[in-house]
Amino acid sequence: MENVHEVNMKVTNSISLMQAKRKIPKWKNTISLLFVHWMVHKGILHILVSLLLGRALFLSQFTPFALPMFAVIFAVSKEKSIIVMLGLVAGASSLGIWQGVYTLSTIMLFYLASLAVRQKMKTNRYILAGTVASSVIVARSIYLSIELPEVFTWVDGVMVAFEAVLAGILTLVFLQGYQLLTKTRKRTYAPEEMVAIAIVVASVATGLIGFTVGGLAMDHILTRYIVIIAALAAGAMVGSTVGIVTGLVFCLSSVAHLPEVAVLAVAGLLGGLMKSGKGTGVVLGLMMATLLMGLFMNQGAQLEFSLYESAIAAIAVFLTPKRFVFAISRNIPGSVEHELDQQLYARNVRDATAEKVEKFSGMFEMLAKSFECAEKDPETAVTAVSLDNTLSRVTESTCQKCFKKDYCWSTHFDRTYDWMKELANPDDHKPPQQWQGFCVKAEQVELAFEEEYADRAAKLQMKKQMMESNQFVSNQLQGLAAVMKDFASDLQRETQKHDQQEEEMLHALIEFGIHVDNVDIHSLDYGHIDVDVMLPFVEKHGECEKLIAPMLSSILKETIVVHQKVEIPSPYEGMVVTFRSSKAFKVSVGIAHAAHGGGLISGDSHAAVHLHGGKYAIAISDGMGNGEKARMESDETIQLLRQMLQAGIEEELAIKSVNSILTVKRTGDMYSTVDLAMIDLQNAKTKFLKVGSVPSYIKRGKTVKTIEASNLPMGFFSELDMEVLEDQLKAGDLLIMLSDGVLDGPRFIENPERWIKRQISELRTSDPQEVADILMEAAVRTSGGEIEDDMTIMVAQLQHELPKWAAIPAVIKTG
C-alpha cells in the first residue's frame, strides 16, 4: 500500500499539472521551460550569482560571501562547483587582482581541508561550516602577513576571527537558503526560513554595490524591487522583515548605506499595508516611503535620484508575471494565496479519498450481488439430482445385471419407465402393486431408491447451508457498502464559511464582558450546531455553562450546551470549549443484577450507549445457562452488537449479522437472547428488537404497557426470526427491560407477567436506579431468597432536556 504522503504528493502534482495546462498558454510554458533549463540546469544563474557574491564586501575590505557560496555548491551540487569557482574568482578580481588571488587561495585551502573530512561533511553541516571558518582564518592570516608583515596587531587578529565566524554562519544560512530555493516539493516557509532566503538574496544584491547607470544605483533598484515583491506576496510583516534584513546586510558592507535601511523597512511596511491595491498599492507604498525618508533625512539632491530608483523598481514590479508572485505567496503562511492553496489541496485530497471510498463501496455492492442466490428454493437449485440421473444410477446397479432387462426396458419400456418414475418420487414411498409382481429384484430397487433419497436429502441440506452462507456474506457486504457510501458523502460535504456569524458571536461575547480569542463555527444546522470557542483562560467557576452557553442559546435560538473542554498545552494558557445543540430528550438508566446462587459471575450482559445521529441504545443479552461460559457468550453478543451499531450499521442488519456469526461458531448448547431498544433523542420514537427475550414494559403514570414478541434465541437457526416493534415514548415514561431469570424466579406465582406488571404499577418512585433495585428485591424475595437463574433489570427514564441556565439575551442576534 502506498504511503499517505506519496498519495498526497501525487494528488498535488496532478492538481498543479491540470492548472498549468488550463491556465498557461503553450508558448509561455515553452519559454518558461527553456529559461529554467538554461538558467538553472546549464548553470548561467550560478555564474551570475557567483560574480556578484565574489565582489560583495564586508566593512569595505573583507569578502566573507565567496567561500560559503563555493562550499555550499561543493556540498550540494558538486558538478557545478567549477563554474561557481570561476565566477567567484572573476567577481573578486573586479575589485583587484590580489583580491582574486585571495579568493582562489581560500577555495583551494577549503578543497584540501575537505579531503580530510569528506565523509563527515556529508552528514554534519557544522563540520562544513567549521571547515570554511578554518580556511578563512588560514588564508586571511597569510594574506595579512604578506601585506602587512610588520604591523600585524591583535586588532587584525580579532578581525580575522570575526570574518571566519561570519563565513561559518553564512555557510549555514546559504545552505538552508539554497535548499529552500531549489526545493522540488510544495511546502510552507517558516519565519526563520524566510529570513534565511532574505539574507541570501541580500548578499547577492550586495555584489551590485558600486554599479551605477546614469547616477542610479543598481543595488538600490534591486533591493527595493525585492522588498515590494515580498510585500505584495506576503503582506506588511514579511515585507518589513525583508526590508530590515536586506538593509542590515547592506550596512555590513558600508555604513554609508544606513539611510537605505529606513527606506527599505518603511517601503515593506507601507507596501504590505496597501497590498489590497495589488501592484498599484505596493508601488504607492514604495514611493511614499522613498519621499518620506528622503525628506526626513534631508537628502536634498539625492532625493531625486532615489525617486527615480524607486520608479524603475516599480516598473519592474508591473512587468513581473502574476504567477511568479503567486508562486511566492502560496508558500508564505498567512497570505490569502497560501490559504486558498491549502484549501484547494485539502479539498482535492478529500475528493480523492471520497472517490476511493465510493469505489470500494461499489466493489462491495458488486460482491454482495455476486453472493446473492438467484434460486431462493434449494429444491429447484439442485440440478445434480434430476429424474433421469436418478433413474440412470438406480438401473445401473440393479437392472443392468437382470435377466429380464430386455423384457422390461425394450419390450415394455413405457410401462417400466412410468413405474420407475413413481418409485423416484420421494413423497410417495409406496411402490405400485403391479410392479412388485413383475420385478424380480423389487427389494434391491427399493433399497437403491432409498439410498438415492438419503443422498438427495444430504445434497439439499448442503445446498441450503451454502445458500444461507452466501446470503449472510451478501448481507454483510451490503451493510459495509452502505456504511462506506455514507462515509464518502460525509467526506464530500462542504464546510460552509460562517465569517459573519463568527464575527457577530465574538463581538457579542466581548460586549458582554467575556474575553474570547476566537470563535470557529463548524455547523449551524438546526439540531446539529457545532461551535468551538477559544478562551485565553482556564475556567474555574463554570463560566462556560453559566454564561457562554446561555448567550449562544439566545443568539442561535436553540438550546446550546457544553460538549467538551480541552485545555491548551503549555506554554500557552487557555482552553478550547466545544458547544453543541442539546437533544430534545435525555435518558437516565438504572441497572440491577444478581448472579445465579448469589455468585459473582452473571451470565447476563447489558449495554447502554449513545450512538451517532442522536440515538440511544439499551440492550440486554442472556446467555444460556449460568457461569463463565454463559457470560462469555452473552458478552460476545453485546460487544459485537455495540461495535456494529457504533459503526453505523442499521440495527436489524447488525442483529442478523451477530446471529449468523454465533450460528457459524456455535459449540454445544450455547445460545443467547437479545433485547434491544433504540431511542431517538429528538422525537422519543423507540424501536424494539426482540430475539428470544421476555417482554419489556413501559410505565406511564399508573398505566403499564407490555412490549412482547415470541421467537427463538440467537444461534438456533441461521435464518433469524426477529420481530421489530415501534412505540412512541413521552417525557416521564419508564422503560423496564428484564432478563428471563426475573420472570422464572418467583415461586408459587401462576402468571409471572401479571405479577411483574402489578409490581411496576405499584411503584411510588420514578428514579430509574431505585425502580431497578425495588423490582430486583421483589423478585428475590418472591423466589424465597434463592436465585436460581441470573437476573438483570434495566430501567430507563425519558425526560425533556432542559437547560440548567436560562438563555441570556445578546445585543447582536444572528440567524
Side-chain angles (χ1 to χ4, degrees), residues 467-614:
M467 292 173 63
E468 290 174 351
S469 300
N470 289 345
Q471 191 62 39
F472 165 65
V473 175
S474 176
N475 292 338
Q476 290 291 325
L477 292 173
Q478 287 177 350
L480 287 174
V483 171
M484 297 187 75
K485 185 175 293 185
D486 293 340
F487 178 59
S489 300
D490 291 339
L491 281 176
Q492 289 181 313
R493 186 178 300 161
E494 289 283 349
T495 301
Q496 299 179 356
K497 284 193 172 183
H498 306 283
D499 296 336
Q500 180 181 356
Q501 291 88 340
E502 289 174 356
E503 289 294 331
E504 292 177 350
M505 286 187 188
L506 183 64
H507 178 70
L509 293 172
I510 294 176
E511 284 288 324
F512 192 75
I514 302 175
H515 297 288
V516 176
D517 283 344
N518 187 41
V519 175
D520 191 8
I521 298 177
H522 301 289
S523 173
L524 281 181
D525 296 336
Y526 185 81
H528 300 280
I529 288 176
D530 190 353
V531 178
D532 285 343
V533 177
M534 182 180 293
L535 305 176
F537 59 89
V538 177
E539 68 161 3
K540 297 180 180 179
H541 305 288
E543 293 89 342
C544 297
E545 292 86 354
K546 300 175 183 178
L547 295 177
I548 301 179
M551 286 198 64
L552 294 180
S553 300
S554 175
I555 294 172
L556 299 170
K557 304 298 183 183
E558 184 180 347
T559 303
I560 305 298
V561 295
V562 177
H563 174 72
Q564 179 178 290
K565 301 176 186 177
V566 178
E567 292 190 16
I568 302 175
S570 179
Y572 304 100
E573 183 179 0
M575 60 190 305
V576 176
V577 186
T578 301
F579 297 88
R580 291 185 180 175
S581 298
S582 173
K583 302 303 178 184
F585 295 90
K586 64 179 180 179
V587 177
S588 53
V589 179
I591 302 170
H593 53 84
H596 170 68
L600 298 177
I601 300 177
S602 173
D604 298 343
S605 297
H606 58 270
V609 293
H610 282 278
L611 300 179
H612 179 71

Side-chain angles (χ1 to χ4, degrees), residues 138-424:
V138 174
R140 180 61 70 180
S141 299
I142 296 175
Y143 180 80
L144 291 179
S145 298
I146 296 174
E147 186 180 18
L148 306 170
E150 297 180 357
V151 293
F152 187 83
T153 62
W154 67 271
V155 176
D156 297 322
V158 171
M159 296 302 296
V160 170
F162 183 74
E163 182 184 6
V165 172
L166 182 60
I169 295 174
L170 286 173
T171 302
L172 299 176
V173 174
F174 283 5
L175 180 62
Q176 184 180 23
Y178 183 83
Q179 291 173 344
L180 294 173
L181 290 173
T182 57
K183 64 184 176 68
T184 57
R185 64 183 183 92
K186 189 180 78 66
R187 56 168 294 168
T188 299
Y189 290 137
E192 58 273 12
E193 293 175 339
M194 290 188 287
V195 171
I197 294 175
I199 292 175
V200 173
V201 176
S203 301
V204 174
T206 307
L208 289 174
I209 295 177
F211 279 105
T212 58
V213 176
L216 303 179
M218 294 293 101
D219 55 325
H220 290 179
I221 296 175
L222 179 60
T223 52
R224 294 177 188 183
Y225 169 76
I226 293 171
V227 169
I228 56 176
I229 283 292
L232 177 61
M237 184 178 70
V238 176
S240 59
T241 302
V242 172
I244 294 173
V245 171
T246 306
L248 290 177
V249 173
F250 266 62
C251 286
L252 293 176
S253 175
S254 175
V255 183
H257 293 89
L258 187 60
E260 190 66 16
V261 179
V263 174
L264 295 176
V266 177
L269 177 63
L270 294 179
L273 293 175
M274 302 176 68
K275 179 191 173 185
S276 58
K278 298 183 179 179
T280 305
V282 295
V283 165
L284 288 176
L286 173 63
M287 301 306 293
M288 289 174 58
T290 305
L291 184 61
L292 288 174
M293 291 300 101
L295 296 174
F296 180 75
M297 296 182 179
N298 196 18
Q299 291 181 338
Q302 297 180 358
L303 178 59
E304 180 181 358
F305 289 99
S306 182
L307 289 173
Y308 289 153
E309 293 165 354
S310 297
I312 295 176
I315 294 173
V317 170
F318 287 119
L319 295 177
T320 302
K322 293 182 179 179
R323 64 190 184 104
F324 174 73
V325 179
F326 177 78
I328 297 175
S329 59
R330 67 185 298 193
N331 295 326
I332 307 298
S335 64
V336 177
E337 292 79 4
H338 178 267
E339 182 181 354
L340 293 175
D341 189 61
Q342 292 296 312
Q343 291 177 358
L344 177 64
Y345 173 75
R347 188 181 303 115
N348 282 276
V349 171
R350 181 207 62 199
D351 291 342
T353 305
E355 184 180 358
K356 284 264 186 183
V357 174
E358 284 183 345
K359 288 181 179 179
F360 275 112
S361 176
M363 179 189 70
F364 283 127
E365 287 182 351
M366 292 300 298
L367 288 174
K369 291 180 180 178
S370 66
F371 275 99
E372 282 184 353
C373 300
E375 295 287 346
K376 300 300 181 181
D377 185 7
E379 185 92 21
T380 61
V382 182
T383 59
V385 289
S386 63
L387 176 63
D388 291 338
N389 290 336
T390 301
L391 295 180
S392 176
R393 285 192 295 272
V394 170
T395 56
E396 183 179 359
S397 62
T398 56
C399 298
Q400 288 293 336
K401 300 177 181 180
C402 181
F403 68 91
K404 294 183 66 175
K405 171 185 175 182
D406 293 336
Y407 176 80
C408 295
W409 290 101
S410 296
T411 308
H412 300 88
F413 175 83
D414 293 337
R415 183 186 64 181
T416 304
Y417 185 77
D418 292 339
W419 286 344
M420 296 294 279
K421 282 175 58 178
E422 292 184 26
L423 288 172

Side-chain angles (χ1 to χ4, degrees), residues 31-44:
I31 293 176
S32 299
L33 292 175
L34 289 174
F35 179 81
V36 172
H37 177 73
W38 284 99
M39 294 298 292
V40 178
H41 299 295
K42 292 298 184 180
I44 295 178

